[in-house]
Amino acid sequence: MENITKKTLLETVDTAIEYSAKLDRNLNSVIGAEQQVIGTAEESLTEIDVAFDDLAKSVLDALNKRREVLKKNVMRIQEEGLAPLRACRDVISHTLKTTQSYICEGQELMEQRNCDVERSLKYIDQSSLLGSLPAVPNLEEVPAISFQLNVDSLRNSLVCRILSAGVVSRMGPVQITSIVEKPGALLVNWEEVEERGLDDQCFRLQLSVGAHPTPLPRHSAAVYRDVYQGADSSCVVRDVHPGTQYTLRVCCKDERGDWCAWSLPRVAATTLPAFCECLVHT
């Protein structure tokens, strides 16, 4: 009886130890999941600030550049319009000053008790100075500078585009479902986890050498390259070295033709050499 009890106790303890190990693994999985949620949230918050700060600077720079161009256009037209008017004004001012001097001289001759005939005749001969008036342009012939900008329309357009800019995704709309080892290759399968009802779908698969399981691009040393782009939901990635780990990710285009968020990265490797290598070894 005692032996049976000890055996039962031992089995119970072993079961408890195994259960504890499973709980520990589950706990680590939950902690990893929490870290993924917190880490990707912090990463996304940073990316939002960077993107909108850059956008705000670009928009402000563009507005200031356009402002300066328009103001230079105003100054150019003003200078072009004022140049002949200033010349005309100088001519009129000079002629007016000469005419006023001529009037004063005539009044002085009239006030003299003894008329100086010779001087008076000379003065009369100078009346030719009172000829045609300098040409003065009509208001219709000179610039009347104006500025037009439909501020409300431009504001509404910009605000509408900005308010719909950017997308926050709970997860990439397409995820890798399986990676199967092939001789010198990997068969990658993926599927959409969000039903969007697009008629023409386009996927993009990327590969990076090494294990980069983190979904945080800012903190990853992964250097990805495109290995497939098209409508299929699977791809055989060839020319991979047996025993070498590779990280893969996939994305798709949205309704506007822009690339959506990337899937969670998946690390995989093949242990099967390519067919040609098998033939060489045999």
Side-chain angles (χ1 to χ4, degrees):
M1 185 68 180
E2 183 179 351
N3 292 335
I4 295 176
T5 303
K6 288 185 178 180
K7 182 179 179 181
T8 304
L9 286 174
L10 180 61
E11 290 175 350
T12 303
V13 171
D14 289 341
T15 301
I17 292 173
E18 183 179 352
Y19 182 67
S20 174
K22 290 180 180 179
L23 287 174
D24 188 58
R25 289 195 295 270
N26 288 347
L27 179 61
N28 289 333
S29 297
V30 172
I31 292 174
E34 289 178 346
Q35 291 174 344
Q36 176 174 301
V37 173
I38 295 172
T40 53
E42 292 177 349
E43 185 86 4
S44 296
L45 290 172
T46 300
E47 290 178 351
I48 289 172
D49 285 337
V50 171
F52 276 81
D53 287 345
D54 181 66
L55 180 61
K57 181 179 181 302
S58 298
V59 171
L60 185 59
D61 288 345
L63 287 173
N64 287 331
K65 286 180 181 178
R66 185 57 183 167
R67 186 212 309 256
E68 291 305 313
V69 168
L70 293 171
K71 291 174 71 174
K72 286 180 180 179
N73 287 341
V74 169
M75 299 305 296
R76 176 181 55 79
I77 296 174
Q78 173 184 270
E79 189 60 32
E80 291 175 354
L82 287 178
L85 293 176
R86 286 169 178 163
C88 182
R89 184 185 63 185
D90 291 342
V91 171
I92 293 174
S93 297
H94 176 73
T95 304
L96 178 61
K97 184 177 181 181
T98 302
T99 302
Q100 289 174 342
S101 298
Y102 183 71
I103 292 171
C104 291
E105 184 180 357
Q107 290 174 342
E108 181 183 345
L109 288 172
M110 291 174 60
E111 293 173 358
Q112 291 179 354
R113 292 184 178 181
N114 298 322
C115 180
D116 187 337
V117 177
E118 182 178 355
R119 185 181 175 190
S120 296
L121 291 175
K122 185 177 180 182
Y123 176 81
I124 293 172
D125 289 340
Q126 293 177 343
S127 63
S128 60
L129 295 174
L130 306 177
S132 60
L133 291 171
V136 177
N138 296 323
L139 293 181
E140 294 81 4
E141 300 173 335
V142 298
I145 305 170
S146 62
F147 167 68
Q148 298 84 35
L149 172 62
N150 192 332
V151 177
D152 289 337
S153 176
L154 180 59
R155 181 192 296 115
N156 292 339
S157 176
L158 288 174
V159 169
C160 182
R161 291 292 300 275
I162 290 173
L163 290 179
S164 62
V167 176
V168 175
S169 303
R170 184 178 182 276
M171 184 174 286
V174 58
Q175 296 291 326
I176 295 174
T177 55
S178 66
I179 302 177
V180 182
E181 291 185 52
K182 296 292 182 180
L186 294 169
L187 172 60
V188 186
N189 298 282
W190 58 84
E191 65 179 24
E192 293 184 74
V193 294
E194 295 180 7
E195 186 61 38
R196 298 177 300 158
L198 294 181
D199 294 332
D200 297 323
Q201 187 57 273
C202 184
F203 300 100
R204 182 182 180 190
L205 180 67
Q206 288 192 335
L207 174 79
S208 177
V209 179
H212 307 285
T214 173
L216 305 177
R218 284 184 180 273
H219 304 289
S220 175
V223 178
Y224 288 94
R225 62 180 176 87
D226 290 346
V227 292
Y228 173 77
Q229 184 171 323
D232 294 337
S233 58
S234 65
C235 172
V236 176
V237 181
R238 304 185 186 280
D239 299 325
V240 296
H241 299 289
T244 300
Q245 288 187 312
Y246 296 91
T247 304
L248 298 112
R249 64 181 184 179
V250 66
C251 68
C252 59
K253 285 189 175 182
D254 60 15
E255 296 82 355
R256 295 177 297 183
D258 299 326
W259 292 111
C260 295
W262 290 104
S263 67
L264 292 174
R266 290 283 300 272
V267 179
T270 181
T271 58
L272 307 174
F275 287 122
C276 59
E277 294 181 8
C278 295
L279 293 175
V280 170
H281 289 305
T282 57

